[in-house]
């Protein structure tokens, strides 16, 4: 089944100020969208609106023609990996993964989760002893936990070296081939392949 | 079901970082151990003062742990994951209350008879104190959790929390030192549950927006 995410005339309001407006785009299964723009142009806000964290916006977001304008809706279809790594610093990577089982309410196959981004070698290390790149890889590994249709990645390439960007690229390709779609924000030159580019500077009210 | 999963997750989290599990109880024992050094009194008067000291120690110990109810999950981004699970915020808040009480107050309840031994407290008196604490401590945890939800993300959260929470603990202390008032404490806990549930849910809604 093909999935479709439509953003219609979206306007984001933070602290009673409009951040961006008139944003309209459409994403279909197997597509990757890159969101770029200056700092403060609303890249993160856009991803957080789609993920359901920010409800203060105008316009509409349709997923498979169903409206998502409320917190808590359709969330099983979306997976968001933000700039915060959501890892407990004083626990080992394995313990963190074990806790994800309760948060995502599913059993986790450790090989399946450690394979794609090659995090097996530091499973038993404390998160506090990992480098920023390693933390990012652990954090991104949560994408493989369950079958979400839409991946929303906020600056996933920060701290990743060229090899790991390729690993993430193949993970996203596999997800898209299985009918998923990916929207990610980035400001680096070393980007993944994408089907559409959205430059937030065109919509931002800076 | 996320309710149970969340409780188990928080308990495991507390257990894995074992300092968390033992912090409140060891802090309580330390306060109690220090008190005789600053009072030039006879052992008998310590026995009299013990139930008073213990409520001050409990209030401070619970205050010390409040950062972990919502704040640590807020700072590392886990709170967002919890909040967008398809689950009523009220139940998320209840799960947080329960796991926080289990991981902090049960060690305190176990530590109190041991502290009682140090102060030469009789077994029956110890029992009264423990019953009062079982009745009163949930209320203190609820209030503390609600205030920490209210101050979530604020720059001076620790300061606000201390200033707001301590006055709200005074009724628990007043009734806590009285041996016959465990039912009143239970009532106070119930009232604070209602107050805290709505306050926390409202604050998390605000935060989510």
């Amino acid at each position: 089944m093909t999935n479709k995410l439509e953003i219609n005339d979206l306007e984001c309001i933070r602290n009673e100020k409009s951040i961006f407006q008139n944003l309209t785009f459409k994403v279909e299964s197997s597509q990757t969208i890159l969101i770029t723009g200056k700092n403060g142009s609303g890249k993160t806000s856009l991803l957080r609106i789609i993920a359901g964290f920010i409800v203060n916006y105008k316009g509409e977001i349709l997923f498979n023609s169903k409206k998502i304008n409320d917190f808590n809706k359709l969330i099983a279809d979306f997976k968001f990996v933000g700039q915060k790594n959501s890892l407990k610093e004083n626990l080992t990577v394995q313990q963190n993964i074990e806790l994800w089982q309760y948060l995502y309410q599913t059993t986790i196959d450790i090989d399946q989760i450690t394979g794609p981004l090659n995090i097996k070698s530091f499973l038993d290390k404390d998160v506090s002893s990992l480098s920023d790149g390693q933390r990012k890889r652990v954090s991104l590994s949560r994408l493989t936990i369950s079958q979400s249709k839409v991946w929303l990645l906020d600056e996933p390439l920060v701290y990743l070296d060229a090899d790991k960007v390729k690993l993430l690229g193949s993970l996203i390709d596999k997800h898209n081939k299985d009918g998923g779609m990916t929207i990610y924000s980035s400001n680096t030159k070393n980007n993944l392949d994408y089907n559409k580019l959205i430059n937030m500077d065109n919509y931002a009210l800076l | 079901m996320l309710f149970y999963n969340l409780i188990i997750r928080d308990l495991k989290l507390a257990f894995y970082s074992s300092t968390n599990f033992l912090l409140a109880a060891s802090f309580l024992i330390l306060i109690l151990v220090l008190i005789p050094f600053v009072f030039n009194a006879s052992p008998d008067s310590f026995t009299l003062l013990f139930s008073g000291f213990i409520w001050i120690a409990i209030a401070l110990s619970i205050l010390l742990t409040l950062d972990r109810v919502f704040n640590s999950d807020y700072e590392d981004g886990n709170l967002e994951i919890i909040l967008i699970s398809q689950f009523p915020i009220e139940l998320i808040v209840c799960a947080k209350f329960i796991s926080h009480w289990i991981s902090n107050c049960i060690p305190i309840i176990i530590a109190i008879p041991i502290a009682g031994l140090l102060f030469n407290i009789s077994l029956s008196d110890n029992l009264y104190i423990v019953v009062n604490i079982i009745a009163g401590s949930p209320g203190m945890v609820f209030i503390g959790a609600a205030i920490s939800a209210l101050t979530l993300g604020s720059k001076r959260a620790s300061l606000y929390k201390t200033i707001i929470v301590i006055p709200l603990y005074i009724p628990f202390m007043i009734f806590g030192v009285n041996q016959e008032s465990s039912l009143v404490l239970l009532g106070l806990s119930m009232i604070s549950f209602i107050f805290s549930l709505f306050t926390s849910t409202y604050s998390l809604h605000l935060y989510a927006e």
Side-chain angles (χ1 to χ4, degrees):
Chain A
M1 181 193 153
T2 56
N3 299 299
K4 198 166 65 178
L5 179 71
E6 289 166 89
I7 312 288
N8 289 331
D9 204 12
L10 194 69
E11 178 179 359
C12 168
I13 301 144
R14 305 295 313 261
N15 299 327
E16 293 167 9
K17 254 180 76 183
S18 191
I19 308 249
F20 59 78
Q21 62 183 25
N22 301 330
L23 178 63
T24 300
F25 68 92
K26 205 188 280 179
V27 199
E28 282 174 7
S29 288
S30 341
Q31 285 189 329
T32 302
I33 308 284
L34 167 63
I35 299 167
T36 61
K38 289 186 192 132
N39 297 142
S41 58
K43 303 187 290 290
T44 301
S45 298
L46 170 62
L47 289 171
R48 290 173 64 86
I49 287 176
I50 302 173
F53 293 125
I54 301 176
V55 289
N56 200 0
Y57 63 86
K58 286 180 190 158
E60 59 178 8
I61 303 171
L62 302 168
F63 185 64
N64 292 339
S65 306
K66 266 182 266 166
K67 209 169 176 180
I68 39 168
N69 55 0
D70 204 359
F71 189 66
N72 278 349
K73 294 279 157 62
L74 295 168
I75 220 62
D77 292 327
F78 293 77
K79 190 159 275 152
F80 176 80
V81 177
Q83 290 175 31
K84 286 180 184 174
N85 287 327
S86 309
L87 299 172
K88 295 287 172 192
E89 289 282 319
N90 53 350
L91 266 55
T92 65
V93 174
Q94 181 138 21
Q95 287 171 335
N96 266 291
I97 292 174
E98 197 187 318
L99 295 182
W100 290 351
Q101 295 195 110
Y102 299 104
L103 281 188
Y104 293 105
Q105 304 186 74
T106 173
T107 46
I108 291 177
D109 175 6
I110 207 93
D111 287 326
Q112 190 197 330
I113 198 167
T114 54
L117 293 175
N118 206 3
I119 59 168
K120 205 162 197 167
S121 54
F122 42 86
L123 260 186
D124 52 355
K125 279 194 183 162
D126 278 354
V127 171
S128 55
S129 69
L130 299 183
S131 73
D132 286 328
Q134 288 170 325
R135 282 171 210 219
K136 195 86 207 174
R137 274 152 66 197
V138 176
S139 182
L140 285 166
S141 295
R142 74 180 68 221
L143 289 171
T144 56
I145 293 176
S146 59
Q147 297 286 318
S148 308
K149 291 164 191 144
V150 185
W151 284 1
L152 304 161
L153 314 178
D154 194 6
E155 300 282 359
L157 308 180
V158 177
Y159 303 124
L160 294 189
D161 57 36
D163 289 350
K164 303 305 175 307
V165 171
K166 267 187 201 157
L167 285 182
L168 180 62
S170 46
L171 185 64
I172 289 176
D173 285 345
K174 188 174 171 292
H175 166 69
N176 286 359
K177 260 186 206 139
D178 294 341
M181 56 182 90
T182 307
I183 305 176
Y184 76 100
S185 71
S186 171
N187 253 339
T188 59
K189 283 180 185 149
N190 191 11
N191 278 325
L192 303 163
D193 293 339
Y194 53 84
N195 304 94
K196 251 187 229 175
L197 181 132
I198 290 162
N199 189 345
M200 293 302 290
D201 293 342
N202 300 336
Y203 309 95
L205 303 162
L206 288 173
Chain B
M1 191 179 158
L2 188 68
F3 183 69
Y4 299 112
N5 281 337
L6 209 54
I7 293 177
I8 295 170
R9 177 223 176 230
D10 280 4
L11 291 180
K12 278 205 167 177
L13 182 59
F15 187 71
Y16 282 151
S17 36
S18 49
T19 46
N20 283 5
F21 220 27
L22 301 172
L23 182 71
S26 44
F27 187 69
L28 175 116
I29 297 259
L30 276 177
I31 296 176
L32 291 174
V33 166
L34 286 177
I35 280 169
F37 291 111
V38 293
F39 283 104
N40 191 10
S42 66
D44 288 346
S45 49
F46 282 131
T47 313
L48 276 175
L49 292 171
F50 179 74
S51 64
F53 290 151
I54 208 143
W55 280 92
I56 295 176
I58 288 175
L60 295 176
S61 307
I62 291 180
L63 200 63
L64 188 72
T65 64
L66 291 183
D67 266 354
R68 271 182 267 120
V69 195
F70 296 110
N71 232 51
S72 62
D73 277 338
Y74 164 76
E75 274 165 12
D76 58 30
N78 274 301
L79 190 62
E80 291 182 338
I81 300 175
I82 297 171
L83 285 179
I84 61 165
S85 54
Q86 282 172 305
F87 205 64
I89 295 185
E90 288 82 356
L91 287 175
I92 293 175
V93 168
C94 282
K96 285 275 178 193
F97 286 174
I98 292 170
S99 58
H100 196 72
W101 185 79
I102 294 175
S103 61
N104 292 293
C105 291
I106 293 215
I108 287 179
I109 289 164
I110 295 168
I112 279 163
I114 302 166
L117 282 178
L118 297 175
F119 282 76
N120 197 22
I121 306 293
S122 72
L123 203 64
S124 62
D125 282 353
N126 241 331
L127 191 70
Y128 273 119
I129 293 170
V130 168
V131 169
N132 272 3
I133 288 166
I134 292 175
S137 60
M140 295 169 91
V141 167
F142 298 155
I143 289 181
I147 303 301
S148 71
L150 262 182
T151 54
L152 209 59
S154 140
K155 276 182 201 155
R156 295 180 196 85
S158 317
L159 177 69
Y160 296 148
K161 235 181 292 183
T162 318
I163 293 172
I164 303 171
V165 167
I166 288 291
L168 293 173
Y169 281 176
I170 291 173
F172 291 92
M173 294 179 176
I174 293 171
F175 290 103
V177 291
N178 189 344
Q179 288 193 341
E180 278 90 41
S181 52
S182 52
L183 283 177
V184 180
L185 285 168
L186 202 63
L188 280 175
S189 284
M190 286 173 180
I191 294 168
S192 20
F193 174 72
I194 306 289
F195 155 79
S196 309
L197 183 65
F198 285 114
T199 316
S200 310
T201 308
Y202 179 68
S203 324
L204 292 187
H205 261 300
L206 279 187
Y207 160 68
E209 285 165 24

PDB file of all heavy atoms in Angstrom, chain A residues 98-120:
ATOM      1  N   GLU A  98      17.419  -1.892  26.149  1.00  0.00           N
ATOM      2  CA  GLU A  98      16.441  -2.683  26.893  1.00  0.00           C
ATOM      3  C   GLU A  98      15.273  -1.799  27.356  1.00  0.00           C
ATOM      4  O   GLU A  98      14.112  -2.204  27.323  1.00  0.00           O
ATOM      5  CB  GLU A  98      17.138  -3.320  28.095  1.00  0.00           C
ATOM      6  CG  GLU A  98      16.359  -4.471  28.687  1.00  0.00           C
ATOM      7  CD  GLU A  98      17.002  -4.960  29.958  1.00  0.00           C
ATOM      8  OE1 GLU A  98      18.258  -5.070  29.986  1.00  0.00           O
ATOM      9  OE2 GLU A  98      16.265  -5.213  30.918  1.00  0.00           O
ATOM     10  N   LEU A  99      15.604  -0.556  27.762  1.00  0.00           N
ATOM     11  CA  LEU A  99      14.537   0.354  28.201  1.00  0.00           C
ATOM     12  C   LEU A  99      13.636   0.782  27.039  1.00  0.00           C
ATOM     13  O   LEU A  99      12.462   1.064  27.240  1.00  0.00           O
ATOM     14  CB  LEU A  99      15.123   1.588  28.884  1.00  0.00           C
ATOM     15  CG  LEU A  99      15.869   1.351  30.197  1.00  0.00           C
ATOM     16  CD1 LEU A  99      16.356   2.663  30.777  1.00  0.00           C
ATOM     17  CD2 LEU A  99      14.996   0.644  31.211  1.00  0.00           C
ATOM     18  N   TRP A 100      14.193   0.821  25.830  1.00  0.00           N
ATOM     19  CA  TRP A 100      13.370   1.170  24.664  1.00  0.00           C
ATOM     20  C   TRP A 100      12.221   0.184  24.495  1.00  0.00           C
ATOM     21  O   TRP A 100      11.147   0.540  24.035  1.00  0.00           O
ATOM     22  CB  TRP A 100      14.199   1.161  23.383  1.00  0.00           C
ATOM     23  CG  TRP A 100      15.184   2.275  23.280  1.00  0.00           C
ATOM     24  CD1 TRP A 100      15.287   3.356  24.094  1.00  0.00           C
ATOM     25  CD2 TRP A 100      16.215   2.411  22.289  1.00  0.00           C
ATOM     26  NE1 TRP A 100      16.314   4.144  23.683  1.00  0.00           N
ATOM     27  CE2 TRP A 100      16.904   3.608  22.586  1.00  0.00           C
ATOM     28  CE3 TRP A 100      16.619   1.652  21.199  1.00  0.00           C
ATOM     29  CZ2 TRP A 100      17.973   4.049  21.817  1.00  0.00           C
ATOM     30  CZ3 TRP A 100      17.681   2.101  20.441  1.00  0.00           C
ATOM     31  CH2 TRP A 100      18.353   3.280  20.749  1.00  0.00           C
ATOM     32  N   GLN A 101      12.491  -1.074  24.872  1.00  0.00           N
ATOM     33  CA  GLN A 101      11.449  -2.104  24.725  1.00  0.00           C
ATOM     34  C   GLN A 101      10.172  -1.675  25.421  1.00  0.00           C
ATOM     35  O   GLN A 101       9.082  -1.911  24.933  1.00  0.00           O
ATOM     36  CB  GLN A 101      11.900  -3.417  25.358  1.00  0.00           C
ATOM     37  CG  GLN A 101      13.060  -4.034  24.675  1.00  0.00           C
ATOM     38  CD  GLN A 101      13.237  -5.479  25.106  1.00  0.00           C
ATOM     39  OE1 GLN A 101      13.004  -6.384  24.349  1.00  0.00           O
ATOM     40  NE2 GLN A 101      13.656  -5.673  26.333  1.00  0.00           N
ATOM     41  N   TYR A 102      10.339  -1.039  26.604  1.00  0.00           N
ATOM     42  CA  TYR A 102       9.159  -0.631  27.368  1.00  0.00           C
ATOM     43  C   TYR A 102       8.538   0.625  26.754  1.00  0.00           C
ATOM     44  O   TYR A 102       7.327   0.767  26.726  1.00  0.00           O
ATOM     45  CB  TYR A 102       9.545  -0.387  28.828  1.00  0.00           C
ATOM     46  CG  TYR A 102      10.100  -1.629  29.468  1.00  0.00           C
ATOM     47  CD1 TYR A 102      11.454  -1.765  29.692  1.00  0.00           C
ATOM     48  CD2 TYR A 102       9.266  -2.685  29.796  1.00  0.00           C
ATOM     49  CE1 TYR A 102      11.971  -2.924  30.250  1.00  0.00           C
ATOM     50  CE2 TYR A 102       9.766  -3.844  30.349  1.00  0.00           C
ATOM     51  CZ  TYR A 102      11.120  -3.959  30.575  1.00  0.00           C
ATOM     52  OH  TYR A 102      11.625  -5.101  31.110  1.00  0.00           O
ATOM     53  N   LEU A 103       9.399   1.528  26.286  1.00  0.00           N
ATOM     54  CA  LEU A 103       8.866   2.767  25.717  1.00  0.00           C
ATOM     55  C   LEU A 103       8.118   2.502  24.419  1.00  0.00           C
ATOM     56  O   LEU A 103       7.065   3.066  24.172  1.00  0.00           O
ATOM     57  CB  LEU A 103      10.003   3.745  25.424  1.00  0.00           C
ATOM     58  CG  LEU A 103      10.563   4.522  26.603  1.00  0.00           C
ATOM     59  CD1 LEU A 103      11.525   5.573  26.114  1.00  0.00           C
ATOM     60  CD2 LEU A 103       9.447   5.182  27.385  1.00  0.00           C
ATOM     61  N   TYR A 104       8.685   1.654  23.563  1.00  0.00           N
ATOM     62  CA  TYR A 104       8.052   1.391  22.268  1.00  0.00           C
ATOM     63  C   TYR A 104       7.128   0.176  22.326  1.00  0.00           C
ATOM     64  O   TYR A 104       6.545  -0.214  21.328  1.00  0.00           O
ATOM     65  CB  TYR A 104       9.117   1.209  21.188  1.00  0.00           C
ATOM     66  CG  TYR A 104       9.887   2.483  20.904  1.00  0.00           C
ATOM     67  CD1 TYR A 104      11.184   2.640  21.360  1.00  0.00           C
ATOM     68  CD2 TYR A 104       9.312   3.532  20.200  1.00  0.00           C
ATOM     69  CE1 TYR A 104      11.890   3.810  21.128  1.00  0.00           C
ATOM     70  CE2 TYR A 104      10.002   4.694  19.961  1.00  0.00           C
ATOM     71  CZ  TYR A 104      11.291   4.844  20.419  1.00  0.00           C
ATOM     72  OH  TYR A 104      11.979   5.994  20.195  1.00  0.00           O
ATOM     73  N   GLN A 105       7.052  -0.440  23.492  1.00  0.00           N
ATOM     74  CA  GLN A 105       6.147  -1.566  23.740  1.00  0.00           C
ATOM     75  C   GLN A 105       6.277  -2.672  22.721  1.00  0.00           C
ATOM     76  O   GLN A 105       5.290  -3.095  22.111  1.00  0.00           O
ATOM     77  CB  GLN A 105       4.709  -1.070  23.773  1.00  0.00           C
ATOM     78  CG  GLN A 105       4.519   0.020  24.804  1.00  0.00           C
ATOM     79  CD  GLN A 105       3.086   0.387  24.923  1.00  0.00           C
ATOM     80  OE1 GLN A 105       2.306  -0.351  25.489  1.00  0.00           O
ATOM     81  NE2 GLN A 105       2.714   1.520  24.362  1.00  0.00           N
ATOM     82  N   THR A 106       7.490  -3.124  22.532  1.00  0.00           N
ATOM     83  CA  THR A 106       7.712  -4.207  21.597  1.00  0.00           C
ATOM     84  C   THR A 106       8.974  -4.950  22.027  1.00  0.00           C
ATOM     85  O   THR A 106       9.777  -4.406  22.781  1.00  0.00           O
ATOM     86  CB  THR A 106       7.866  -3.641  20.162  1.00  0.00           C
ATOM     87  OG1 THR A 106       8.237  -4.690  19.300  1.00  0.00           O
ATOM     88  CG2 THR A 106       8.933  -2.567  20.077  1.00  0.00           C
ATOM     89  N   THR A 107       9.114  -6.175  21.590  1.00  0.00           N
ATOM     90  CA  THR A 107      10.361  -6.871  21.908  1.00  0.00           C
ATOM     91  C   THR A 107      11.405  -6.503  20.851  1.00  0.00           C
ATOM     92  O   THR A 107      11.086  -6.337  19.682  1.00  0.00           O
ATOM     93  CB  THR A 107      10.169  -8.397  21.925  1.00  0.00           C
ATOM     94  OG1 THR A 107       9.433  -8.743  20.759  1.00  0.00           O
ATOM     95  CG2 THR A 107       9.447  -8.857  23.165  1.00  0.00           C
ATOM     96  N   ILE A 108      12.632  -6.368  21.315  1.00  0.00           N
ATOM     97  CA  ILE A 108      13.678  -5.906  20.418  1.00  0.00           C
ATOM     98  C   ILE A 108      14.660  -7.035  20.144  1.00  0.00           C
ATOM     99  O   ILE A 108      15.146  -7.680  21.067  1.00  0.00           O
ATOM    100  CB  ILE A 108      14.407  -4.701  21.043  1.00  0.00           C
ATOM    101  CG1 ILE A 108      13.472  -3.495  21.081  1.00  0.00           C
ATOM    102  CG2 ILE A 108      15.666  -4.353  20.254  1.00  0.00           C
ATOM    103  CD1 ILE A 108      14.053  -2.271  21.725  1.00  0.00           C
ATOM    104  N   ASP A 109      14.918  -7.272  18.874  1.00  0.00           N
ATOM    105  CA  ASP A 109      15.936  -8.242  18.486  1.00  0.00           C
ATOM    106  C   ASP A 109      17.260  -7.486  18.406  1.00  0.00           C
ATOM    107  O   ASP A 109      17.441  -6.604  17.571  1.00  0.00           O
ATOM    108  CB  ASP A 109      15.549  -8.838  17.124  1.00  0.00           C
ATOM    109  CG  ASP A 109      16.632  -9.779  16.607  1.00  0.00           C
ATOM    110  OD1 ASP A 109      17.586 -10.038  17.360  1.00  0.00           O
ATOM    111  OD2 ASP A 109      16.522 -10.235  15.459  1.00  0.00           O
ATOM    112  N   ILE A 110      18.164  -7.842  19.306  1.00  0.00           N
ATOM    113  CA  ILE A 110      19.376  -7.046  19.458  1.00  0.00           C
ATOM    114  C   ILE A 110      20.230  -7.043  18.178  1.00  0.00           C
ATOM    115  O   ILE A 110      20.831  -6.027  17.834  1.00  0.00           O
ATOM    116  CB  ILE A 110      20.166  -7.511  20.712  1.00  0.00           C
ATOM    117  CG1 ILE A 110      21.000  -6.366  21.265  1.00  0.00           C
ATOM    118  CG2 ILE A 110      21.032  -8.704  20.469  1.00  0.00           C
ATOM    119  CD1 ILE A 110      20.335  -5.583  22.331  1.00  0.00           C
ATOM    120  N   ASP A 111      20.252  -8.178  17.463  1.00  0.00           N
ATOM    121  CA  ASP A 111      21.044  -8.223  16.217  1.00  0.00           C
ATOM    122  C   ASP A 111      20.451  -7.304  15.161  1.00  0.00           C
ATOM    123  O   ASP A 111      21.161  -6.617  14.439  1.00  0.00           O
ATOM    124  CB  ASP A 111      21.081  -9.652  15.663  1.00  0.00           C
ATOM    125  CG  ASP A 111      21.974 -10.522  16.517  1.00  0.00           C
ATOM    126  OD1 ASP A 111      22.979  -9.973  17.031  1.00  0.00           O
ATOM    127  OD2 ASP A 111      21.665 -11.709  16.682  1.00  0.00           O
ATOM    128  N   GLN A 112      19.131  -7.304  15.124  1.00  0.00           N
ATOM    129  CA  GLN A 112      18.450  -6.483  14.127  1.00  0.00           C
ATOM    130  C   GLN A 112      18.698  -4.996  14.377  1.00  0.00           C
ATOM    131  O   GLN A 112      18.848  -4.210  13.446  1.00  0.00           O
ATOM    132  CB  GLN A 112      16.955  -6.789  14.208  1.00  0.00           C
ATOM    133  CG  GLN A 112      16.152  -6.192  13.080  1.00  0.00           C
ATOM    134  CD  GLN A 112      14.676  -6.152  13.419  1.00  0.00           C
ATOM    135  OE1 GLN A 112      14.164  -6.981  14.163  1.00  0.00           O
ATOM    136  NE2 GLN A 112      13.986  -5.168  12.884  1.00  0.00           N
ATOM    137  N   ILE A 113      18.787  -4.641  15.644  1.00  0.00           N
ATOM    138  CA  ILE A 113      18.928  -3.223  15.951  1.00  0.00           C
ATOM    139  C   ILE A 113      20.389  -2.752  15.883  1.00  0.00           C
ATOM    140  O   ILE A 113      20.666  -1.611  15.538  1.00  0.00           O
ATOM    141  CB  ILE A 113      18.279  -2.904  17.319  1.00  0.00           C
ATOM    142  CG1 ILE A 113      18.026  -1.422  17.452  1.00  0.00           C
ATOM    143  CG2 ILE A 113      19.106  -3.339  18.479  1.00  0.00           C
ATOM    144  CD1 ILE A 113      17.145  -1.090  18.591  1.00  0.00           C
ATOM    145  N   THR A 114      21.320  -3.661  16.197  1.00  0.00           N
ATOM    146  CA  THR A 114      22.727  -3.232  16.225  1.00  0.00           C
ATOM    147  C   THR A 114      23.377  -3.328  14.853  1.00  0.00           C
ATOM    148  O   THR A 114      24.387  -2.685  14.597  1.00  0.00           O
ATOM    149  CB  THR A 114      23.549  -4.074  17.209  1.00  0.00           C
ATOM    150  OG1 THR A 114      23.359  -5.453  16.875  1.00  0.00           O
ATOM    151  CG2 THR A 114      23.146  -3.824  18.629  1.00  0.00           C
ATOM    152  N   GLY A 115      22.788  -4.143  13.969  1.00  0.00           N
ATOM    153  CA  GLY A 115      23.397  -4.390  12.664  1.00  0.00           C
ATOM    154  C   GLY A 115      23.545  -3.162  11.765  1.00  0.00           C
ATOM    155  O   GLY A 115      24.664  -2.782  11.406  1.00  0.00           O
ATOM    156  N   PRO A 116      22.444  -2.511  11.414  1.00  0.00           N
ATOM    157  CA  PRO A 116      22.492  -1.498  10.355  1.00  0.00           C
ATOM    158  C   PRO A 116      23.508  -0.375  10.588  1.00  0.00           C
ATOM    159  O   PRO A 116      24.160   0.058   9.649  1.00  0.00           O
ATOM    160  CB  PRO A 116      21.073  -0.931  10.348  1.00  0.00           C
ATOM    161  CG  PRO A 116      20.229  -1.992  10.915  1.00  0.00           C
ATOM    162  CD  PRO A 116      21.073  -2.724  11.898  1.00  0.00           C
ATOM    163  N   LEU A 117      23.636   0.101  11.806  1.00  0.00           N
ATOM    164  CA  LEU A 117      24.560   1.217  12.023  1.00  0.00           C
ATOM    165  C   LEU A 117      25.798   0.777  12.793  1.00  0.00           C
ATOM    166  O   LEU A 117      26.568   1.608  13.298  1.00  0.00           O
ATOM    167  CB  LEU A 117      23.861   2.371  12.741  1.00  0.00           C
ATOM    168  CG  LEU A 117      22.777   3.060  11.913  1.00  0.00           C
ATOM    169  CD1 LEU A 117      22.052   4.101  12.720  1.00  0.00           C
ATOM    170  CD2 LEU A 117      23.361   3.702  10.665  1.00  0.00           C
ATOM    171  N   ASN A 118      25.970  -0.558  12.861  1.00  0.00           N
ATOM    172  CA  ASN A 118      27.225  -1.103  13.377  1.00  0.00           C
ATOM    173  C   ASN A 118      27.543  -0.616  14.792  1.00  0.00           C
ATOM    174  O   ASN A 118      28.629  -0.078  15.039  1.00  0.00           O
ATOM    175  CB  ASN A 118      28.346  -0.674  12.406  1.00  0.00           C
ATOM    176  CG  ASN A 118      29.493  -1.628  12.463  1.00  0.00           C
ATOM    177  OD1 ASN A 118      29.426  -2.625  13.185  1.00  0.00           O
ATOM    178  ND2 ASN A 118      30.550  -1.335  11.733  1.00  0.00           N
ATOM    179  N   ILE A 119      26.630  -0.828  15.712  1.00  0.00           N
ATOM    180  CA  ILE A 119      26.880  -0.349  17.076  1.00  0.00           C
ATOM    181  C   ILE A 119      27.219  -1.490  18.034  1.00  0.00           C
ATOM    182  O   ILE A 119      27.336  -1.289  19.232  1.00  0.00           O
ATOM    183  CB  ILE A 119      25.666   0.440  17.639  1.00  0.00           C
ATOM    184  CG1 ILE A 119      24.402  -0.419  17.670  1.00  0.00           C
ATOM    185  CG2 ILE A 119      25.414   1.708  16.847  1.00  0.00           C
ATOM    186  CD1 ILE A 119      23.280   0.224  18.468  1.00  0.00           C
ATOM    187  N   LYS A 120      27.383  -2.699  17.491  1.00  0.00           N
ATOM    188  CA  LYS A 120      27.567  -3.865  18.346  1.00  0.00           C
ATOM    189  C   LYS A 120      28.836  -3.761  19.210  1.00  0.00           C
ATOM    190  O   LYS A 120      28.859  -4.224  20.351  1.00  0.00           O
ATOM    191  CB  LYS A 120      27.632  -5.124  17.480  1.00  0.00           C
ATOM    192  CG  LYS A 120      27.211  -6.370  18.226  1.00  0.00           C
ATOM    193  CD  LYS A 120      26.859  -7.482  17.276  1.00  0.00           C
ATOM    194  CE  LYS A 120      26.069  -8.537  18.008  1.00  0.00           C
ATOM    195  NZ  LYS A 120      25.445  -9.478  17.139  1.00  0.00           N
TER     196      LYS A 120
END
